[in-house]
Amino acid sequence: MVLLMAAVVSQSTALMARGEVANAETETKIEVNEGQVSEVKSEYISKTGNITEVYQEGEYYYILVGTPIEGIEYVINNSEMIIDSKTLAFLQPSDLKVGMEITVIIAKNAPMTMSLPARVSQPEAMIVHSSEVNVDVSYYSEELVNEENTLQLNIERDTYITNKKGAKMIFMAEDIKNQNAMILYTNTTRSIPAQTTPKMVLILPSTDPEQEIMDLEVNVEDK
């Protein structure tokens, strides 16, 4: 694992020197009206598509989503978080098959090669789609409303909430506030924003080192 990460860093450094590495945010465009200032807090983006190729080399799996020209190839291993949106079961890379529709969560600052296809190593999570379940990846406010103001969460006692580490602890609605999160949900109200009681909430870690230190200090104080 250490050798792979060293290789990835080395490769990314070399590609950057040739101008051949972008990041996942490069393709994200935000339109702001003239005179309007909008602070974007979400640190993640999601990419959805169908798996067109899966192959394995050693302990690593290469998952191509989309075409070799316009798609993205994800490099993962057995430590990746892969979730079946219908059953909420955690899957293995070997469970991923050609034809499956998946949503991949990527940090906006994640390195992405400028090769064809573009390649991303170790995304934050992969969600296998179900026609019955919707996926939202966003920053959730103090009122549990996403950054796009399209979805508000109603958290109940039996709502499944976890974090990227799969920590064996009880999370509450307070733990989702002012955090990046992945939401799996079904029915919504017709209000603005739509309201839902999610099936699952995955709290995503901050990619900002300063924010991580602040969160650590808060946790220490709580103990």
Side-chain angles (χ1 to χ4, degrees):
M1 182 65 179
V2 173
L3 291 175
L4 174 69
M5 291 303 296
V8 170
V9 170
S10 176
Q11 180 186 32
S12 297
T13 303
L15 290 172
M16 284 180 182
R18 300 200 302 269
E20 296 180 9
V21 164
N23 59 47
E25 192 178 15
T26 303
E27 300 180 11
T28 303
K29 298 180 180 179
I30 300 173
E31 296 183 2
V32 180
N33 295 331
E34 186 176 353
Q36 178 184 357
V37 177
S38 178
E39 180 184 0
V40 178
K41 296 183 178 180
S42 178
E43 299 177 45
Y44 293 88
I45 58 175
S46 60
K47 302 282 188 180
T48 299
N50 291 93
I51 297 175
T52 54
E53 184 180 23
V54 178
Y55 66 95
Q56 181 180 7
E57 289 186 359
E59 64 179 294
Y60 299 99
Y61 290 79
Y62 296 78
I63 314 297
L64 177 61
V65 177
T67 68
I69 302 299
E70 298 179 351
I72 299 177
E73 186 175 62
Y74 300 96
V75 183
I76 64 175
N77 60 18
N78 287 325
S79 67
E80 306 305 327
M81 181 172 278
I82 307 172
I83 304 168
D84 185 321
S85 64
K86 185 175 182 178
T87 65
L88 304 187
F90 290 93
L91 306 177
Q92 295 296 316
S94 58
D95 295 319
L96 297 176
K97 307 297 181 184
V98 171
M100 284 183 171
E101 184 180 17
I102 64 172
T103 289
V104 184
I105 303 173
I106 316 168
K108 285 183 177 179
N109 60 1
M112 177 184 293
T113 67
M114 298 294 284
S115 57
L116 293 178
R119 178 176 288 182
V120 173
S121 296
Q122 298 179 308
E124 287 300 317
M126 289 183 165
I127 315 300
V128 177
H129 271 244
S130 163
S131 59
E132 306 167 7
V133 182
N134 302 301
V135 182
D136 184 58
V137 178
S138 189
Y139 178 89
Y140 278 80
S141 70
E142 190 75 19
E143 293 74 31
L144 295 179
V145 177
N146 68 0
E147 194 163 42
E148 297 74 23
N149 196 40
T150 57
L151 192 66
Q152 183 172 26
L153 308 180
N154 295 321
I155 303 299
E156 297 184 351
R157 293 185 62 181
D158 60 348
T159 300
Y160 179 26
I161 308 174
T162 188
N163 63 5
K164 180 65 166 55
K165 297 179 181 178
K168 295 182 179 179
M169 59 184 293
I170 297 175
F171 291 96
M172 311 293 288
E174 289 294 323
D175 298 305
I176 307 170
K177 294 179 178 180
N178 303 313
Q179 297 291 335
N180 293 277
M182 183 281 298
I183 312 298
L184 297 181
Y185 66 100
T186 52
N187 300 326
T188 63
T189 64
R190 295 187 179 183
S191 57
I192 299 176
Q195 298 184 32
T196 187
T197 300
K199 291 184 59 176
M200 178 181 183
V201 178
L202 173 64
I203 301 171
L204 298 168
S206 175
T207 59
D208 182 355
E210 292 185 4
Q211 183 62 45
E212 288 187 344
I213 293 173
M214 289 174 61
D215 291 341
L216 179 60
E217 289 175 347
V218 169
N219 291 335
V220 170
E221 289 175 0
D222 290 343
K223 293 179 179 179

